[in-house]
Amino acid sequence: MTSLSVSADRDRAADLGDPLLSALNPQQRQAVLHEGGPLLIVAGAGSGKTRVLAYRIAWLLKHRKVAPGEIVAITFTNKAAGEMRERVTSLIGPRARAMWVSTFHSMCVRILRAHAKELGFTTSFTIYDKADSQRLMTLVARDLDLDPKRYPARSLVNQVSNLKNELIDEESYAPTNSAEKILAEAYRGYQRRLREANAMDFDDLIMTTVNLLQAFPEVGEHYRRRFRHVLVDEYQDTNQAQYVLVRELSGGAELCVVGDADQSIYAFRGATIRNIVEFERDYPQATTVLLEQNYRSTQTILQAANAVIACNSGRRPKNLWSDQGPGEPIQGYVADNEHDEAAWVAGEIGRLRDAEGLRPGDVAVFYRTNNQSRVFEEIFIRVGLPYRVLGGVRFYERREVRDALAYLKTIGNPADVVSLRRILNTPRRGIGQRAEACVEALASRERIPFPQALERCNEAPGINPRSVTSITEFTTMMAEFRSLAVDGAGPSGLLSALLDRTGYLSELQASTDPQDEGRVDNLNEMVSVAAEFEQQRPDGTLADFLEQVSLVADADEIPADAGPDDPQPGTILMMTVHTAKGLEFPVVFLTGLEEGIFPHMRTFGEPSELAEERRLAYVAITRAQRLLHISRAMTRTAWGQPSYNPQSRFLPEIPEGLVHWIRTEPSREQLYSGGQSAQARLASAALSRGGLRGGVGNRAVVALDVGDRVSHDAFGLGRVVETRGEGDKAEATIDFGSSGTKRLLLRYAPVEKL
């Protein structure tokens, strides 16, 4: 089809009111219809960027006759990739599933597995996460005899990660001082051990793909010919390595990037705001489309966000607007201290619940740093408000889950020394540190890999005969598991077999530690994850499964019911502002708006970091759909001492008429006379009576003993691990498994003895 006929087809579709266009506003339609050079879509918060990307892809497939295999769409989370794929499929049909829609890392793994031999790897290479990388770097530092206090593995790994994000490999890194020379040695040793283990870390996935495309011209040309359209979501979050990767892939393609410089908040992860700010300089022929209509928030909330972000200099002017009307004014509160602030938040939630039927799942509480959640948890528990804290220990980071995955990784990749050494004596089987050191000495003496030395453990100098027997039994068992995998056993079958055969599950089930009951549940969930994978991908291999779980991003572990789409009443969600990116809630409480808290004190004196803090505030404000509450505390305990915090510089940037201050800062006379807010007095009363608006202060005190099984309205089933106090002051510490351990005041806690 000629370009003329394509253009005519597009015009006819527009004239006929094509459904792909009728649901879009003029700017969105312009972005969908664009043809030719690079396209930058500057998408303000809540402006429908996912819809625009999905409709643009659908338009390419339907009207420009682009084949699905000629499109690659890159996102930052699997959740976003899945949502985009499903949206396009709903518009076009199942043929859309042939597109490449994936995260940066998933796309790179797909390319690297196809060209593993050129790079000296096998297709079953292991992907190391941050914890694996630190364990490996610990071995490297030990080889180099580095002082772990002066050169901690975590610091070395972070420095190596920064180098890789800048596409500086171990060969091209040029140290200029003694500290950098040590880093260079560690970097070289780390990469050598990775190759020996047939493994790559997360940063390698991007850097090695770039190296592949540049070092093998025929490979680079193959992908440039294949992909006629490259689309990148959240472009403001790309780092230097991702920037170069996009450039390499889009050499002959029509490039479309979507993002918002005002939402660039991940510099600490290596994101480079210049990638989007200077896009038009990098691509002089680029067309820019600005999306300013917001479909999420009221105009009052957007005016506040616009005013705050406008104080950042050097940004592209943008003015978010909404046709939803002004809405309610922002509610502001100046608390005496952090306890008063938390009590006010709880009280407002109770008031909205009673007056408007607000569901807990409609509410989010934001704070700048994780440690600020503690006081909210204490208040919410005592007044019976159900909540969840997002951003805690992720499912795939839990010890028992990592152990199970280490077994699977070792089965799939026998050279994976980090996973092998993790499970060598897990559960305990008589292979202690001394035996492991003996095997390592053999490997060093014979210059053979550790797994190979393990097979010859009887030759290890000074090893105990009982350890030899245990190691032999272990290697025999692992060989049997590998035979099962070769014979076609799926991930769920392998998991079930190894949990049983190793005694891992039975050891946990026999334990009297209440935490171990939760670990059993987590392992059962892991088997369910594997079974679900097999249902979705009947032809999927063990390597495919390990790849899927290895590439789960932080945002992918946010519960599916997070936010207003929760079909159940749900729970209040508490999270840092960074975690909130990409989410939206009818009611938002933005807390801790004080200098040194938000903006954070470490950003003082650094204009670029203060600018990012303001962007973070902009992101927080624009998460609210209907009601926004802002608060600060006059004093806040830090390092055990109360400290006075002036108001955040972001507060006076919000126009006065937008905020209804329920309570403002008291006068100096009130402060020195010991004046206390009514809310603070209410907080004290709530802690002693449980009478905070909508609380549960009239329930009978349940008598509990250590070991009793209980049920909690919000946290589910649990076991009592400690009791203290009597009567109205009775407390119990209860382990709720995956919900964590909570200390509850039984007079007010919704707990039932089973």
Side-chain angles (χ1 to χ4, degrees):
M1 179 175 285
T2 65
S3 59
L4 183 62
S5 61
V6 168
S7 178
D9 182 39
R10 179 194 66 186
D11 293 340
R12 283 194 301 273
D15 291 340
L16 293 172
D18 189 288
L20 287 179
L21 302 179
S22 60
L24 305 176
N25 66 38
Q27 292 73 31
Q28 292 174 331
R29 191 177 300 122
Q30 180 187 355
V32 168
L33 295 176
H34 171 80
E35 294 183 29
L39 173 65
L40 168 63
I41 303 173
V42 179
S47 62
K49 69 177 179 64
T50 305
R51 169 187 284 189
V52 171
L53 273 177
Y55 276 61
R56 177 169 174 79
I57 294 172
W59 184 267
L60 293 173
L61 295 171
K62 182 178 180 181
H63 292 290
R64 293 180 60 184
K65 309 307 180 186
V66 177
E70 295 175 324
I71 297 174
V72 58
I74 310 171
T75 69
F76 272 83
T77 68
N78 295 305
K79 186 178 295 183
E83 181 182 350
M84 189 183 302
R85 185 182 295 105
E86 291 307 314
R87 282 202 185 196
V88 178
T89 300
S90 69
L91 294 169
I92 297 297
R95 70 189 183 97
R97 296 187 180 277
M99 301 180 303
W100 279 36
V101 183
S102 65
T103 65
F104 273 99
H105 292 100
S106 296
M107 179 189 68
C108 288
V109 169
R110 189 169 179 177
I111 293 173
L112 292 172
R113 292 214 190 278
H115 302 278
K117 290 184 180 179
E118 288 104 307
L119 298 167
F121 290 84
T122 71
T123 56
S124 62
F125 63 81
T126 298
I127 302 169
Y128 279 4
D129 62 14
K130 207 69 166 178
D132 294 328
S133 296
Q134 288 182 20
R135 288 172 69 93
L136 186 64
M137 186 61 83
T138 299
L139 298 176
V140 172
R142 192 183 304 162
D143 288 344
L144 297 174
D145 198 25
L146 298 180
D147 181 356
K149 292 184 179 179
R150 187 175 179 185
Y151 300 100
R154 180 175 182 176
S155 175
L156 292 171
V157 165
N158 288 338
Q159 292 178 76
V160 167
S161 176
N162 292 337
L163 291 172
K164 291 182 178 182
N165 286 336
E166 293 295 325
L167 295 178
I168 302 173
D169 62 25
E170 75 275 22
E171 299 300 329
S172 58
Y173 178 52
T176 59
N177 55 48
S178 58
E180 290 182 354
K181 288 179 181 178
I182 290 175
L183 175 61
E185 285 187 77
Y187 192 1
R188 286 193 294 270
Y190 176 76
Q191 291 301 109
R192 175 180 54 79
R193 278 188 173 264
L194 276 174
R195 286 190 293 271
E196 289 175 353
N198 189 37
M200 297 186 198
D201 65 20
F202 262 73
D203 301 308
D204 278 326
L205 298 179
I206 307 283
M207 183 176 75
T208 307
T209 302
V210 171
N211 292 342
L212 172 71
L213 299 176
Q214 293 178 340
F216 296 87
E218 67 283 2
V219 176
E221 186 60 29
H222 165 76
Y223 288 102
R224 282 188 288 271
R225 283 199 310 268
R226 171 170 185 161
F227 297 129
R228 291 176 52 197
H229 294 271
V230 177
L231 302 96
V232 185
D233 192 13
E234 303 285 9
Y235 192 67
Q236 78 279 350
D237 292 335
T238 55
N239 59 29
Q240 173 66 11
Q242 290 161 337
Y243 166 82
V244 175
L245 176 63
V246 170
R247 188 185 66 193
E248 290 294 325
L249 285 174
S250 61
E254 191 171 284
L255 175 63
C256 170
V257 303
V258 184
D260 180 9
D262 289 338
Q263 297 186 70
S264 178
I265 60 173
Y266 293 124
F268 68 96
R269 293 182 182 174
T272 307
I273 193 173
R274 70 146 309 275
N275 292 350
I276 191 166
V277 171
E278 300 184 10
F279 183 84
E280 290 151 314
R281 183 184 302 177
D282 295 335
Y283 299 92
Q285 305 303 314
T287 297
T288 299
V289 176
L290 185 60
L291 304 182
E292 296 178 293
Q293 183 175 358
N294 176 284
Y295 295 91
R296 174 189 300 156
S297 308
T298 65
Q299 189 60 36
T300 294
I301 292 170
L302 297 181
Q303 282 182 259
N306 288 333
V308 170
I309 199 62
C311 296
N312 270 355
S313 60
R315 56 180 288 273
R316 180 190 299 271
K318 183 167 73 276
N319 189 51
L320 293 181
W321 63 275
S322 169
D323 61 7
Q324 299 183 36
E328 296 292 323
I330 298 167
Q331 302 296 304
Y333 185 78
V334 180
D336 288 340
N337 51 46
E338 65 267 36
H339 298 282
D340 182 17
E341 181 182 43
W344 174 71
V345 171
E348 280 295 293
I349 294 172
R351 182 184 66 79
L352 290 170
R353 181 181 61 186
D354 295 342
E356 303 181 19
L358 180 75
R359 305 180 314 165
D362 291 335
V363 181
V365 179
F366 297 163
Y367 34 79
R368 178 62 180 83
T369 57
N370 279 305
N371 64 297
Q372 291 172 254
S373 72
R374 178 190 60 81
V375 66
F376 291 101
E377 292 189 72
E378 289 179 356
I379 292 287
F380 288 1
I381 287 172
R382 283 168 170 78
V383 302
L385 285 174
Y387 72 89
R388 278 183 292 178
V389 179
L390 299 187
V393 179
R394 297 166 55 205
F395 178 75
Y396 291 109
E397 291 177 351
R398 294 183 171 120
R399 187 189 73 191
E400 61 278 6
V401 174
R402 294 188 64 85
D403 288 343
L405 287 174
Y407 270 101
L408 292 181
K409 289 178 181 179
T410 307
I411 293 169
N413 177 17
D416 183 356
V417 66
V418 168
S419 297
L420 173 62
R421 294 179 77 151
R422 180 184 183 95
I423 62 172
L424 188 58
N425 198 40
T426 304
R428 296 185 184 279
R429 52 175 62 93
I431 308 174
Q433 292 183 353
R434 184 176 182 279
E436 190 173 340
C438 292
V439 175
E440 190 170 15
L442 174 65
S444 177
R445 186 187 72 188
E446 300 294 324
R447 296 185 178 181
I448 57 176
F450 183 85
Q452 189 176 335
L454 211 59
E455 299 285 347
R456 297 166 50 184
C457 62
N458 60 310
E459 302 174 31
I463 194 168
N464 188 300
R466 285 178 295 180
S467 297
V468 171
T469 300
S470 298
I471 292 174
T472 302
E473 291 175 351
F474 171 77
T475 55
T476 300
M477 178 183 66
M478 294 304 294
E480 292 174 0
F481 287 144
R482 290 191 189 99
S483 296
L484 285 175
V486 171
D487 291 341
S492 65
L494 283 172
L495 264 176
S496 298
L498 70 86
L499 290 174
D500 178 56
R501 173 75 187 278
T502 60
Y504 195 108
L505 195 58
S506 60
E507 182 176 286
L508 290 176
Q509 290 171 332
S511 172
T512 57
D513 183 347
Q515 296 282 357
D516 285 341
E517 189 172 343
R519 295 187 175 104
V520 171
D521 292 339
N522 289 334
L523 290 173
N524 286 334
E525 178 65 18
M526 191 68 236
V527 175
S528 298
V529 169
E532 184 177 332
F533 167 83
E534 291 168 357
Q535 291 176 353
Q536 295 173 346
R537 298 182 59 180
D539 298 329
T541 64
L542 175 60
D544 294 331
F545 174 69
L546 291 172
E547 176 185 320
Q548 176 174 296
V549 298
S550 295
L551 296 177
V552 172
D554 291 352
D556 293 321
E557 291 209 62
I558 292 176
D561 59 355
D565 295 330
D566 182 359
Q568 303 298 324
T571 56
I572 300 162
L573 290 174
M574 303 199 306
M575 66 196 80
T576 65
V577 181
H578 281 101
T579 303
K581 177 110 181 324
L583 300 177
E584 57 186 38
F585 303 89
V587 180
V588 164
F589 289 84
L590 176 55
T591 65
L593 284 166
E594 305 141 32
E595 288 291 290
I597 303 297
F598 194 7
H600 198 281
M601 67 174 64
R602 68 167 174 260
T603 66
F604 293 171
E606 296 290 339
S608 63
E609 293 190 19
L610 278 171
E612 178 152 327
E613 289 287 294
R614 185 171 282 106
R615 293 195 294 271
L616 194 58
Y618 171 81
V619 166
I621 293 170
T622 55
R623 300 310 95 191
Q625 296 173 298
R626 184 169 63 88
L627 293 174
L628 174 64
H629 301 72
I630 56 179
S631 62
R632 70 179 180 93
M634 293 175 56
T635 61
R636 190 176 296 271
T637 302
W639 303 102
Q641 298 296 323
S643 60
Y644 173 78
N645 299 311
Q647 69 173 349
S648 168
R649 67 192 69 194
F650 305 145
L651 287 176
E653 293 171 358
I654 300 175
E656 287 186 12
L658 301 181
V659 183
H660 168 61
W661 288 99
I662 297 172
R663 181 179 187 247
T664 56
E665 184 171 336
S667 67
R668 186 179 299 271
E669 290 75 15
Q670 287 177 298
L671 282 175
Y672 286 119
S673 65
Q676 187 184 45
S677 73
Q679 194 69 36
R681 292 192 295 273
L682 187 58
S684 299
L687 294 178
S688 61
R689 298 193 318 271
L692 188 59
R693 302 173 183 175
V696 287
N698 296 317
R699 66 174 70 247
V701 179
V702 60
L704 295 179
D705 294 314
V706 173
D708 283 349
R709 299 274 295 166
V710 299
S711 174
H712 187 282
D713 291 354
F715 307 129
L717 298 178
R719 177 176 293 169
V720 178
V721 296
E722 182 185 2
T723 60
R724 64 173 66 180
E726 297 179 354
D728 288 354
K729 296 183 179 181
E731 296 182 356
T733 301
I734 304 174
D735 176 26
F736 291 102
S738 59
S739 294
T741 300
K742 313 291 182 183
R743 194 173 81 180
L744 306 179
L745 193 61
L746 298 180
R747 175 64 174 160
Y748 313 109
V751 171
E752 180 181 351
K753 183 176 178 180
L754 300 180

